Amino acid sequence: MAEITLTPRAAKRINEIMGAEPPGSSLRISVNGGGCSGFSYAFDVAQSREADDIVIERDGATVLVDAMSLAYMAGSTIDFVNDLIGQSFKIENPQATASCGCGTSFSL
């Protein structure tokens, strides 16, 4: 299965966010059913790791993805963008056949 890549910009922003969280906290990204295109990404702060979590690390930042979500995110790149409509994490998912305008939901 193709791995998930974390960009330097995303790693920097994750480290900034986790600086305000308890030590050992990580960013958890998961895929949920729903959203305007069928599936949606969820971003949460996790205090612990689950046994089936995939751990992605870069420049001191840690992202956790559960095994079920990994099947929908394999090969993705997680980035952080700051543009005219605001700041957000952006996931470039090669498996997605369509996505909504806001980029938080997708279909396969």
Side-chain angles (χ1 to χ4, degrees):
M1 183 158 303
E3 66 181 57
I4 296 172
T5 304
L6 190 61
T7 68
R9 282 188 306 236
K12 181 180 178 197
R13 183 62 181 138
I14 291 165
N15 284 328
E16 291 168 355
I17 293 167
M18 291 305 126
E21 298 294 332
S25 297
S26 302
L27 179 67
R28 176 176 297 284
I29 302 176
S30 56
V31 174
N32 299 320
C36 53
S37 291
F39 295 98
S40 62
Y41 298 110
F43 298 86
D44 298 295
V45 175
Q47 304 302 320
S48 62
R49 297 179 184 180
E50 302 298 326
D52 67 342
D53 281 341
I54 305 304
V55 179
I56 303 138
E57 297 179 314
R58 181 175 193 145
D59 303 332
T62 302
V63 173
L64 305 175
V65 177
D66 63 89
M68 181 71 77
S69 296
L70 179 64
Y72 297 102
M73 292 181 63
S76 294
T77 299
I78 302 166
D79 196 7
F80 182 77
V81 295
N82 184 2
D83 56 24
L84 290 175
I85 60 171
Q87 299 179 353
S88 64
F89 287 103
K90 181 178 181 183
I91 299 177
E92 294 287 338
N93 188 337
Q95 297 184 68
T97 58
S99 65
C100 67
C102 64
T104 59
S105 71
F106 64 100
S107 61
L108 300 177

